[in-house]
Amino acid sequence: MQRGVIIQLLILLLVIVNKSNGISSPIKPFTTYKHSAELQTNVADLWWIVDDAEREIIFEFHVKTTGWIALGISPAGGMRGADIGVGWVDLAGIVHFQDRHAFGMSPPVIDNTTTDWFPLQGREQNGWTSIQFKRLLDTCDSMDVPIKSGTNIVIFAYGLVDPDLSRSDGDISYHDTRRGTRMIPLRSYGNPPSEEKFAGLDSFEFCALNYRVPSEESTYYCKVYKAPTQFLTKRHAIAHQVLVDSTNRDLVHHLVVYECDPAATFDDANLPDDVCDNVYAHVHMCMSNSAIVWAVGGDD
């Protein structure tokens, strides 16, 4: 018998994943983005792409309103200290955009240091407002919040009417309950080394091939793999990469690789491979020592 490794997948049906992680906006984005997120169902959608060479990030924000919209980076999840971009499209189709800073629960003020949020284009269509804009990842502005590697706290809000800058009381209206907060990995968690760094090293794969997803809202799938036996001396695993076929990317929610207890034994010719509930009696000794964890939104 050979010591084994178990891999556990939570697989969601495509229709369920699309419903929970889909995009509501009827407006086509101005360009192709690497990332997107539905901030609020049928209300607010966000696309973005990071240009590491230029050290900047490009956002496209769609909100179901014909009033002002705002997207901010918050240091702690609330308005206090947040760096906020506020924009709207007027009746003539002209995009207005402002760099603002929030000191507390009062309306965010115009950033009086440097302007670091820049509008690119925008439009109103079918009751939605969409604006594309950019800013540097780190502006070195005391009134801004750096966008760092890893998870960032994004806040958003919107109003029902455009500001009227010709009036003394024409600032953005109070958003009331039209606001939200999300924790999103806007940037990669790190700069992974190039594949050349691992050239010449031994590697092996654990593959889940041709698994037919059941017609259930969610499925936990378990499969036990036999660890490699060709190594004559002790080896250390120093890196891993998660590969999910692009056609299945919307199905896989998370993945966990466990190391089985040394006391666990299996028939090498008939390793468990089924819905986890069906094989739990055989694999329960392999579900406590996790070696790799990956989930939607994480790097490969």
Side-chain angles (χ1 to χ4, degrees):
M1 297 298 178
Q2 177 67 34
R3 185 176 179 181
V5 175
I6 183 172
I7 187 169
Q8 180 194 48
L9 302 177
L10 170 58
I11 300 178
L12 304 182
L13 284 178
L14 179 62
V15 64
I16 299 298
V17 173
N18 279 346
K19 183 176 180 181
S20 61
N21 295 311
I23 294 297
S24 307
S25 174
I27 305 177
K28 183 179 179 180
F30 289 107
T31 188
T32 301
Y33 297 89
K34 186 175 181 180
H35 309 285
S36 64
E38 185 180 50
L39 301 185
Q40 185 176 341
T41 303
N42 200 36
V43 172
D45 298 324
L46 180 67
W47 290 260
W48 72 95
I49 188 169
V50 175
D51 186 337
D52 286 312
E54 297 295 331
R55 304 292 296 169
E56 68 180 18
I57 184 169
I58 297 176
F59 292 104
E60 186 166 335
F61 191 33
H62 293 200
V63 182
K64 191 176 184 180
T65 185
T66 54
W68 61 267
I69 64 177
L71 184 78
I73 310 299
S74 170
M79 284 188 63
R80 185 179 300 277
D83 177 29
I84 303 172
V86 178
W88 64 94
V89 180
D90 65 22
L91 295 177
I94 298 174
V95 178
H96 301 262
F97 209 78
Q98 300 172 333
D99 182 353
R100 296 197 177 210
H101 179 85
F103 286 100
M105 300 303 292
S106 57
V109 301
I110 301 294
D111 187 335
N112 59 11
T113 52
T114 61
T115 299
D116 299 299
W117 293 82
F118 300 98
L120 300 176
Q121 51 192 329
R123 61 190 168 192
E124 285 185 356
Q125 184 178 319
N126 297 328
W128 286 68
T129 295
S130 66
I131 301 180
Q132 183 189 58
F133 48 95
K134 68 177 182 178
R135 58 152 277 185
L136 292 176
L137 297 173
D138 189 350
T139 64
C140 299
D141 184 341
S142 61
M143 297 184 75
D144 292 345
V145 178
I147 298 175
K148 300 179 179 180
S149 295
T151 301
N152 297 269
I153 304 177
V154 173
I155 62 174
F156 67 95
Y158 64 97
L160 302 180
V161 296
D162 293 342
D164 185 351
L165 301 182
S166 66
R167 297 167 53 95
S168 59
D169 60 348
D171 200 2
I172 57 175
S173 55
Y174 178 51
H175 54 64
D176 198 37
T177 59
R178 296 179 292 273
R179 56 185 173 84
T181 302
R182 285 285 301 275
M183 296 184 68
I184 300 177
L186 294 176
R187 294 180 62 190
S188 168
Y189 280 87
N191 297 314
S194 64
E195 293 190 8
E196 287 77 12
K197 185 178 181 65
F198 303 102
L201 299 181
D202 293 312
S203 64
F204 55 89
E205 296 182 355
F206 296 138
C207 298
L209 299 174
N210 300 321
Y211 178 71
R212 188 178 183 86
V213 180
S215 299
E216 304 290 343
E217 181 176 341
S218 61
T219 298
Y220 285 85
Y221 166 64
C222 289
K223 181 176 176 64
V224 173
Y225 295 87
K226 181 178 179 179
T229 59
Q230 72 270 26
F231 303 126
L232 300 179
T233 58
K234 184 176 182 179
R235 301 296 181 94
H236 294 276
I238 62 171
H240 73 272
Q241 185 176 22
V242 176
L243 301 175
V244 180
D245 189 280
S246 59
T247 58
N248 299 325
R249 196 78 180 189
D250 288 340
L251 295 178
V252 182
H253 181 271
H254 75 264
L255 177 152
V256 183
V257 177
Y258 294 99
E259 182 180 0
C260 293
D261 187 293
T265 58
F266 298 99
D267 177 358
D268 293 349
N270 188 29
L271 295 173
D273 179 1
D274 202 347
V275 173
C276 294
D277 286 346
N278 295 343
V279 295
Y280 180 77
H282 304 287
V283 303
H284 69 279
M285 295 181 68
C286 297
M287 305 188 75
S288 59
N289 187 17
S290 57
I292 299 171
V293 179
W294 175 90
V296 172
D299 294 334
D300 293 340

